[in-house]
Amino acid sequence: MFRSDGLPVWADRHELTADVAAHDHDFLEISLVTQGRALHIAADGDHPIRPGSAVVIPPNQWHAYGECEDLMVFDCFVAPELVHSTLSFLDAELPLMSAMHTSTLPLPQRVQLSPGELSAAIAELYSMSDTTAARRSRVQIVGHLLIYLDVLNRSWVADDSVRRRPRAPLHPAVSRAAKAMEDEPGYSWTLAELAALASTERTYLVRLFQRDLGVPPIAYLNRLREQVAARLLVQTDQPVARIGTQLGWEDAGYFARRFKAAYGLTPSAYRRRALEGQGWDHAPAAAESGSP
């Protein structure tokens, strides 16, 4: 996605005439709709998008497009090292950016721009996509990116709906248990082990997970495994069975059933469609509680 000049920011327009399969990237992506309509599909559900809709997608989080109608998207790609080093101050300055990190499972942040804000955003995106050598300096590009993020942030902050209100920090027990599962998603975690690790009682830990993350601990583990599996299917050539095994699903048939329940496709079909760029016509289902 990034140009050969080595700069860590790039912007480009894409016309999406067909649905786009679930995929992820190791960089920050900001998608701005300038024309048409569609559904943006991610771990937080299906969301209608239209001109002025912007989606800030954290690195390594899958997303897809469905029901595309004459869709034009102006994408901005930001290398993670830029966000984590030069722009590390953004979490303190822009609530939009810090909101992506209020959960151990970062989710896309969504903004709806007014016509005036949309025009201002497009102007900055065109400046970031300018290939003229004299206009591709690091300072200029990062400057345009900061202005673009400020436009998005002001609109995001102005929307005071319930889903925009700051969420309470995760309970320490939830943070400890969730981090353990994220660090070792292939381990056969039990509720008893997680409760002991979090220094709390099992039923209380379940209630805390439901309150803070919306799912019980084992369902959270299954969701993590499904997302890691999807990433490995696209980004590696490991055999499907090996991916399942390393994620704790020794039975290939069970792995295939779990994956299909989440993504609507078997692991092999998901890999084939993702690599061939075929359409996506099924929204991933929410993880259900059950044995890992």
Side-chain angles (χ1 to χ4, degrees), residues 205-226:
L205 182 63
V206 171
R207 289 201 300 272
L208 290 175
F209 259 78
Q210 289 278 19
R211 185 195 70 184
D212 288 3
L213 296 176
V215 293
I218 300 305
Y220 185 79
L221 174 60
N222 282 325
R223 185 165 68 180
L224 285 172
R225 288 176 169 179
E226 290 154 3

Side-chain angles (χ1 to χ4, degrees), residues 198-275:
S199 302
T200 190
E201 195 270 332
R202 284 179 290 181
T203 57
Y204 184 53
L205 182 63
V206 171
R207 289 201 300 272
L208 290 175
F209 259 78
Q210 289 278 19
R211 185 195 70 184
D212 288 3
L213 296 176
V215 293
I218 300 305
Y220 185 79
L221 174 60
N222 282 325
R223 185 165 68 180
L224 285 172
R225 288 176 169 179
E226 290 154 3
Q227 292 191 343
V228 173
R231 196 152 59 238
L232 292 175
L233 286 166
V234 175
Q235 296 180 350
T236 76
D237 58 359
Q238 294 184 51
V240 169
R242 182 182 299 171
I243 291 174
T245 297
Q246 73 184 63
L247 290 174
W249 289 324
E250 300 285 346
D251 186 321
Y254 182 70
F255 170 40
R257 291 194 298 275
R258 291 258 9 149
F259 193 88
K260 187 171 183 179
Y263 289 93
L265 298 167
T266 65
S268 297
Y270 179 93
R271 168 177 275 172
R272 183 171 60 253
R273 287 199 178 189
L275 296 180

Side-chain angles (χ1 to χ4, degrees), residues 7 132-143:
L7 291 177
T132 306
R135 297 290 302 278
R136 290 289 294 170
S137 77
R138 185 184 182 93
V139 172
Q140 286 182 323
I141 295 300
V142 172

Side-chain angles (χ1 to χ4, degrees), residues 1-3 5-11 27-28 76-83 85-87 128 136-139 141-142 145:
M1 292 295 179
F2 298 100
R3 290 179 56 80
D5 56 19
L7 291 177
V9 179
W10 179 240
F27 46 80
L28 176 71
C76 177
F77 311 111
V78 186
E81 59 268 22
L82 180 67
V83 177
S85 57
T86 307
L87 304 183
M128 282 185 271
R136 290 289 294 170
S137 77
R138 185 184 182 93
V139 172
I141 295 300
V142 172
L145 172 64

Side-chain angles (χ1 to χ4, degrees), residues 33-273:
V33 178
T34 60
Q35 174 183 301
R37 296 178 182 275
L39 285 179
H40 183 261
I41 304 164
D44 62 342
D46 302 2
H47 297 263
I49 51 176
R50 56 188 172 85
S53 297
V55 188
V56 184
I57 305 152
N60 301 314
Q61 293 302 315
W62 66 265
H63 69 123
Y65 292 93
E67 301 181 14
C68 297
E69 298 178 11
D70 193 29
L71 186 66
M72 186 72 72
V73 176
F74 212 143
D75 280 317
C76 177
F77 311 111
V78 186
E81 59 268 22
L82 180 67
V83 177
H84 297 149
S85 57
T86 307
L87 304 183
S88 59
F89 67 92
L90 287 180
D91 274 7
E93 297 292 333
L94 303 181
L96 168 61
M97 298 298 290
S98 62
M100 288 191 294
H101 307 134
T102 56
S103 167
T104 55
L105 186 65
L107 294 173
Q109 297 299 310
R110 304 175 186 280
V111 184
Q112 185 62 46
L113 301 181
S114 68
E117 292 166 335
L118 177 59
S119 296
I122 290 174
E124 300 306 323
L125 287 164
Y126 271 121
S127 295
M128 282 185 271
S129 63
D130 191 339
T131 58
T132 306
R135 297 290 302 278
R136 290 289 294 170
S137 77
R138 185 184 182 93
V139 172
Q140 286 182 323
I141 295 300
V142 172
H144 289 300
L145 172 64
L146 290 175
I147 295 173
Y148 180 42
L149 289 173
D150 186 58
V151 170
L152 296 177
N153 181 74
R154 281 187 278 115
S155 179
W156 188 89
V157 169
D159 185 345
D160 61 353
S161 62
V162 173
R163 67 187 180 87
R164 289 283 192 257
R165 294 172 188 166
R167 289 176 287 181
L170 295 178
H171 190 283
V174 174
S175 293
R176 286 195 293 271
K179 186 176 187 307
M181 289 186 283
E182 290 164 5
D183 289 344
E184 295 186 77
Y187 179 74
S188 297
W189 292 102
T190 66
L191 186 57
E193 288 175 315
L194 293 169
L197 183 67
S199 302
T200 190
E201 195 270 332
R202 284 179 290 181
T203 57
Y204 184 53
L205 182 63
V206 171
R207 289 201 300 272
L208 290 175
F209 259 78
Q210 289 278 19
R211 185 195 70 184
D212 288 3
L213 296 176
V215 293
I218 300 305
Y220 185 79
L221 174 60
N222 282 325
R223 185 165 68 180
L224 285 172
R225 288 176 169 179
E226 290 154 3
Q227 292 191 343
V228 173
R231 196 152 59 238
L232 292 175
L233 286 166
V234 175
Q235 296 180 350
T236 76
D237 58 359
Q238 294 184 51
V240 169
R242 182 182 299 171
I243 291 174
T245 297
Q246 73 184 63
L247 290 174
W249 289 324
E250 300 285 346
D251 186 321
Y254 182 70
F255 170 40
R257 291 194 298 275
R258 291 258 9 149
F259 193 88
K260 187 171 183 179
Y263 289 93
L265 298 167
T266 65
S268 297
Y270 179 93
R271 168 177 275 172
R272 183 171 60 253
R273 287 199 178 189

